[in-house]
Structures are given as structure tokens and as C-alpha cells.
Amino acid sequence: MKIERILLAIGTKMHRENADKVLRTSNYQYRIISNSLDVLSVLEEDLYHALFIDLEMEKGNGIEVLKVIRKHFSSPVNAIPAIALFTSQEKNNADFLIANGFNWSVPMNFTIEDLNSTISWISNAEPDTEVVKKSSSDINFEFFRQCSGNDKAFMMDMADLFYKTYPETIQRLKKFHSMQDWKMIYFESHKFSAQLAYLGLKEAYDYADSIETITEQGFLNSEMIYERILNLEKSCNFGIIELDKFIRQL
Amino acid sequence: MAIRSFNSGKKRILVCEDDEMVINVICYKLEKDGYDIDKAIDGKQAADKIRSNVYDILIVDMMMPYMTGLEITGLVRNELMQSTPIIILSKIGIEETILKAFEMGADDYIVKPFSPNELSVRVKKLLTLKG
């Protein structure tokens, strides 16, 4: 996904000025706003490719605002890449942020290098057209519906659980990859593939299954494994949107 | 350690599975079937529960932290000398692994992803066979 338009929501004037100074040196179109309520109204009216959001703003913090976006906005806004802006190291708790729907985090007083590396990462992490096209034919929720006894509430609970946990799983896979801990990658992908099979996310299942097979057989091509982890993430990002649509239509 | 039994009148099943989604799918179906369900989210917790409670059937995932499904089966059959029916769940469907599970004393083996309806039928059958 190409990132061209960025929305930033920052509570303090000093940090808004810093962001403006950095963004002026970039080629991105951007808008900086100062409170969380504006985030929702701006996203309702305009399309942005990434959202940088202050964790502590007046009238609802960034975490609460993102929850509303993820839960109540329709596609593609509900899947907008979200980057947490934090002022202290304590706030940069990756597990916590991922569990709350963030894709990445940067310090509030970010530099142009921080901005570029973040955009680069986000661009790779988001589903691109090719993956979306391929995924459409590789999703079948009938087994999931059957396993859930056609119970919409239960299916929604399972979808919520998956939405909450899959970014953590992907994050763990990336962490184990950086540690070259192939045994743990094998274990994680083995477990994850069972979930994906139940949900009917076939393409994502195939990626998880291939990571499991590669690491089990000791064929340890680090780059290939990392690429498959990224593809797995893209496929899950797409799959959860489709799953949400499917459940809403029941 | 005193062994605790349950008197709800319902058959009691211990589901040992560390994947939250899979355990939810299993428990959802078996609770609807009217069983009394207990859960263990890793091998150690499973062993502790098996040592201190009485169950009518054990459903055990093959790959769990701390203890595998095969180790749990070994504990039940060899150390505790219990004949409680055991169903092994695994994503691995290769013959060697399946045979090993049966050799260790498992009563049934289901490859993931399985239909909860299929599991339900197998549970019912094992409970009938074991009286």
C-alpha cells in the first residue's frame, strides 16, 4: 500500500510544531489536528493512508479513539495503519499497543528518519492489491460457521479474539525470527495454523503451514521465512476484514 | 493428595489445549451437549488437574507447553494407572505419530481442524463404551 496522505493527532502545541517541521521536509500530504474527536470526524470525511496518534489527548486518548475506529468504522478506514506517539519509554509497550490495535509506535518528537522508517514498515505490512486479489478466492467461512453452530454471537466472539490475538502472534513470530529461534517459530506457526484453519483463512493458513514445515525440516532460509511472516500478516489483515463483513451479513 | 469427584450428575470432561480459539470451539460444543467442562491451558496444569480430580474423559492436545499430549497419556496410564478415556488432538496426521499415541494408551486421535460435531460423536461413543 502506498502511503501518501497522513493524519496526525497531537495534543500538545510543542509536539504539533515538531511534527509540522518534520513533515514539511517530506513529500507526504498531511494534516495535524489537536484533539481526538476531530480524528473521528476527519476520517469520516476524508481518506488517509496512515494515522499518527498521541496516546494522551484531551477528550479521549489515542487508545480509545483507535478502538472506535477499529470497531465502528467501515473498510478501509477501520484498517488504517495506526502509529502510537508516545512521550516516555513506559508508554512504548509493544504488546500493549498491538493488543489495542496499533501497528507501530514512534516517539512524540520523531525525526524525518523515524517517519521514513515507519512509513516504509507500514507500507510493507499493509495488504497490497495483489494479496487482496489472491486472498478473495482463498477464504471460506463455511467451516467456521459450521463449527460455531451458526451462532452469530459466538462467531463474533471468536472473530474478536482473533482480531485481538493475531497481531500478537505475528509480533512474536517476528521477534523469534530476529532471535533466529526457529524452534519457537515452528511452535507458534503450528498453533496459529490451527486457528486459521478453523476460521477458513486458507491463504493465511498456507503461509503459516509453510513456515511450520520449513522450520520443522530445518530448511532455515532466514529471508524466506521473514517474507512468509510478512505475507502471513498481510493475509490476516485482509482476512479479518472479510470475516467481519461475513459475520455482519449473517 | 485427595482426589476430588463431582456430583453434578453430568459427565465431566477435561479439555487440555493451549490455543484459546480451539479450546473455545471445543468447549462451546461440548457444553451445549450437556457435559461439565474443565479446562487446562498447558501440560502442567493438565497434569495437576488430572492428579487431583476425577474425569469421565480427557481431551488432550498433542503439542502443549511443559508436557505433550503423549506425556499426559503416559502419566494417566503408567503413573496414575487410570483407564479414563483419552482423545488426542493434533494437527499432525502422520501414521507414526498416530500409532505412537495409541501405543501410549490413547483411545482416539483426531486431526485438526476437526468438526466439533465429529468430536461430540466420538466423545459420546467412548463414554458409552466405557460404561
Side-chain angles (χ1 to χ4, degrees):
Chain A
M1 179 182 179
K2 195 170 180 187
I3 307 283
E4 290 173 345
R5 292 168 57 81
I6 300 172
L7 179 63
L8 301 99
I10 301 173
T12 52
K13 191 180 173 202
M14 181 181 76
H15 291 122
R16 280 199 298 276
E17 287 173 354
N18 172 68
D20 187 44
K21 197 174 146 192
V22 171
L23 266 298
R24 273 172 198 272
T25 64
S26 75
N27 292 321
Y28 303 111
Q29 295 172 43
Y30 65 96
R31 179 171 174 185
I32 304 175
I33 53 180
S34 60
N35 79 67
S36 52
L37 294 180
D38 287 347
V39 175
L40 302 177
S41 57
V42 167
L43 286 178
E44 272 174 0
E45 290 166 9
D46 237 340
L47 181 68
Y48 285 89
H49 302 123
L51 170 66
F52 285 68
I53 189 162
D54 186 350
L55 290 180
E56 290 174 357
M57 279 185 296
E58 286 179 13
K59 299 179 189 173
N61 67 40
I63 292 164
E64 294 306 316
V65 171
L66 187 61
K67 271 185 195 165
V68 173
I69 296 167
R70 296 283 189 241
K71 198 163 183 182
H72 298 293
F73 277 60
S74 54
S75 177
V77 182
N78 61 1
I80 189 170
I83 297 96
L85 294 168
F86 60 92
T87 49
S88 61
Q89 206 52 42
E90 294 81 60
K91 291 284 176 192
N92 187 23
N93 179 330
D95 289 341
F96 173 77
L97 292 173
I98 288 163
N100 281 284
F102 286 91
N103 303 76
W104 198 250
S105 62
V106 289
M108 189 72 83
N109 55 345
F110 59 88
T111 62
I112 187 68
E113 288 77 22
D114 292 332
L115 178 73
N116 288 335
S117 63
T118 300
I119 298 295
S120 165
W121 190 89
I122 290 295
S123 305
N124 288 326
E126 274 303 290
D128 55 30
T129 328
E130 195 188 333
V131 169
V132 169
K133 243 189 271 170
K134 203 161 46 151
S135 298
S136 299
S137 60
D138 278 331
I139 287 179
N140 184 344
F141 297 122
E142 284 311 310
F143 183 62
F144 178 47
R145 174 151 62 176
Q146 185 202 328
C147 289
S148 310
N150 209 21
D151 181 333
K152 188 175 176 180
F154 181 71
M155 289 176 83
M156 284 176 81
D157 285 348
M158 290 301 97
D160 279 349
L161 177 65
F162 181 71
Y163 185 77
K164 198 180 96 185
T165 56
Y166 90 83
E168 296 165 7
T169 304
I170 299 288
Q171 205 58 31
R172 280 198 297 275
L173 284 169
K174 287 178 180 172
K175 185 178 131 196
F176 294 139
H177 181 271
S178 70
M179 295 159 66
Q180 308 243 314
D181 190 339
W182 312 118
K183 194 178 164 190
M184 285 309 293
I185 292 181
Y186 165 73
F187 187 77
E188 280 290 337
S189 51
H190 175 88
K191 287 286 161 191
F192 195 40
S193 58
Q195 282 189 22
L196 298 167
Y198 274 105
L199 290 173
L201 304 178
K202 188 177 178 305
E203 185 190 62
Y205 171 85
D206 287 344
Y207 282 125
D209 191 52
S210 71
I211 295 167
E212 180 191 344
T213 306
I214 290 168
T215 46
E216 185 188 19
Q217 292 174 350
F219 176 62
L220 302 173
N221 181 329
S222 178
E223 276 180 27
M224 181 200 281
I225 292 171
Y226 193 69
E227 191 188 320
R228 289 189 189 194
I229 293 172
L230 293 181
N231 283 331
L232 172 63
E233 182 177 31
K234 287 176 186 174
S235 197
C236 289
N237 289 343
F238 176 79
I240 191 70
I241 294 169
E242 292 300 303
L243 179 61
D244 185 56
K245 277 191 219 163
F246 175 78
I247 295 171
R248 281 172 201 279
Q249 283 165 9
L250 286 175
Chain B
M1 184 188 289
I3 293 195
R4 202 152 60 95
S5 63
F6 301 87
N7 298 309
S8 64
K10 293 178 177 179
K11 295 288 184 187
R12 188 160 176 84
I13 300 175
L14 177 66
V15 182
C16 314
E17 164 69 64
D18 62 320
D19 186 298
E20 200 179 349
M21 183 171 291
V22 177
I23 205 168
N24 283 347
V25 169
I26 294 170
C27 294
Y28 176 77
K29 174 64 183 164
L30 296 180
E31 276 167 1
K32 268 185 133 181
D33 287 349
Y35 298 111
D36 192 358
I37 306 297
D38 197 5
K39 301 173 190 173
I41 55 161
D42 61 49
K44 187 176 175 300
Q45 199 179 91
D48 289 344
K49 290 198 174 202
I50 291 165
R51 281 196 171 98
S52 52
N53 297 297
V54 174
Y55 297 99
D56 294 294
I57 196 160
L58 305 172
I59 299 174
V60 186
D61 181 35
M62 178 73 97
M63 194 185 286
M64 290 186 292
Y66 305 119
M67 280 177 88
T68 66
L70 291 182
E71 287 168 334
I72 293 289
T73 306
L75 167 80
V76 174
R77 296 286 182 260
N78 304 328
E79 190 184 318
L80 302 175
M81 309 293 278
Q82 291 176 358
S83 59
T84 315
I86 299 174
I87 299 177
I88 296 284
L89 310 175
S90 177
K91 199 192 152 216
I92 303 163
I94 55 175
E95 188 184 22
E96 187 188 342
T97 313
I98 297 171
L99 292 178
K100 180 80 181 160
F102 282 110
E103 275 169 23
M104 293 289 291
D107 297 88
D108 205 348
Y109 189 107
I110 308 184
V111 178
K112 292 184 202 172
F114 52 84
S115 152
N117 292 332
E118 183 188 338
L119 176 67
S120 168
V121 170
R122 289 176 187 242
V123 166
K124 200 172 170 185
K125 190 179 168 191
L126 273 177
L127 287 171
T128 309
L129 281 174
K130 297 278 174 175

